[in-house]
Amino acid sequence: DSGVTQTPKHLITATGQRVTLRCSPRSGDLSVYWYQQSLDQGLQFLIQYYNGEERAKGNILERFSAQQFPDLHSELNLSSLELGDSALYFCASSVGAGTEAFFGQGTRLTVV
Amino acid sequence: GENVEQHPSTLSVQEGDSAVIKCTYSDSASNYFPWYKQELGKRPQLIIDIRSNVGEKKDQRIAVTLNKTAKHFSLHITETQPEDSAVYFCAAHEGNSGNTPLVFGKGTRLSVIA
């Protein structure tokens, strides 16, 4: 157990819908990263937060948004879902920059 | 932004042989280079990391080397075992400003054949 909790573990939804993925970082970790992993693909960086502030953005679609709350948990919102959004979404947390990032178990999103 | 290239994408070795995975990075400001192992259906987990003030680091059968001048780093696994079969990811990070992401390579699928 990495200490990073992601909910839900599995999500099946229809095209055009909106979903919210939740991540609770390890106690004391201020940085939260979101990654997308499609079948046989690498870890595509989506967005990073540090202590409530957005710090870096990757190739995140405009249909996707995220935030980090005062209690440091983070949510990734995916809207107008398309079949191609089906993937494993990982959240990772770390104490800060340049330190080990711990991954949650991921949320497997299936869009039908 | 940072770009990390990883080779090879797949690697098959006989049990007991060595495996080497190579990565290059683009941002000369990057100073933290972790390696993650992801077993099938599981989360990525850190197996070793190296910082830019060190050229080599070992942990039992695993070693990582870093060449800052050439901007490349490598993972070496010796005496491979079937349980080493997994996908391995390298990553690079500029760890001072806190404003840059942890960027991963596309991964190497290692198969150790018994």
Side-chain angles (χ1 to χ4, degrees):
Chain A
D1 185 6
S2 66
V4 180
T5 303
Q6 288 186 249
T7 56
K9 289 185 179 179
H10 301 279
L11 198 49
I12 301 175
T13 191
T15 54
Q17 295 298 304
R18 172 189 170 95
V19 297
T20 297
L21 313 184
R22 182 187 169 100
C23 170
S24 294
R26 291 190 323 151
S27 176
D29 284 358
L30 300 179
S31 279
V32 170
Y33 307 86
W34 285 97
Y35 293 89
Q36 179 192 59
Q37 187 174 44
S38 301
L39 191 63
D40 284 340
Q41 294 294 309
L43 294 160
Q44 297 293 320
F45 170 70
L46 295 178
I47 198 163
Q48 175 198 357
Y49 284 86
Y50 180 83
N51 201 21
E53 293 185 1
E54 180 185 307
R55 283 297 181 94
K57 257 186 176 180
N59 293 325
I60 186 168
L61 299 173
E62 287 189 8
R63 300 183 286 108
F64 295 1
S65 65
Q67 54 185 326
Q68 187 179 30
F69 294 86
D71 67 352
L72 300 178
H73 91 270
S74 178
E75 293 182 356
L76 179 66
N77 301 297
L78 314 176
S79 61
S80 302
L81 285 167
E82 301 174 359
L83 296 178
D85 298 327
S86 296
L88 190 54
Y89 291 84
F90 281 108
C91 161
S93 75
S94 68
V95 170
T99 60
E100 179 179 356
F102 293 84
F103 281 78
Q105 81 277 19
T107 293
R108 182 167 296 283
L109 173 67
T110 303
V111 183
V112 298
Chain B
E2 178 64 271
N3 182 50
V4 178
E5 299 283 341
Q6 183 172 348
H7 300 279
S9 57
T10 60
L11 180 60
S12 291
V13 299
Q14 292 289 327
E15 182 179 359
D17 287 350
S18 295
V20 180
I21 302 171
K22 299 182 178 182
C23 290
T24 60
Y25 61 98
S26 62
D27 188 351
S28 57
S30 289
N31 53 16
Y32 176 62
F33 307 92
W35 286 87
Y36 283 77
K37 176 183 180 182
Q38 186 179 25
E39 297 177 348
L40 190 62
K42 297 190 176 181
R43 75 189 80 192
Q45 291 189 287
L46 181 77
I47 55 172
I48 195 167
D49 57 14
I50 191 168
R51 299 183 188 279
S52 59
N53 59 344
V54 175
E56 183 176 1
K57 184 176 178 180
K58 282 186 178 180
D59 183 3
Q60 299 184 335
R61 297 184 298 107
I62 294 173
V64 59
T65 59
L66 171 65
N67 183 326
K68 285 174 54 181
T69 302
K71 289 191 281 188
H72 68 69
F73 55 114
S74 301
L75 178 72
H76 304 254
I77 306 174
T78 59
E79 301 173 14
T80 53
Q81 302 168 4
E83 52 265 36
D84 293 329
S85 295
V87 179
Y88 291 81
F89 293 98
C90 62
H93 192 197
E94 188 279 302
N96 292 331
S97 70
N99 292 327
T100 58
L102 183 61
V103 177
F104 286 85
K106 292 189 182 300
T108 296
R109 184 176 299 279
L110 173 65
S111 299
V112 179
I113 304 165

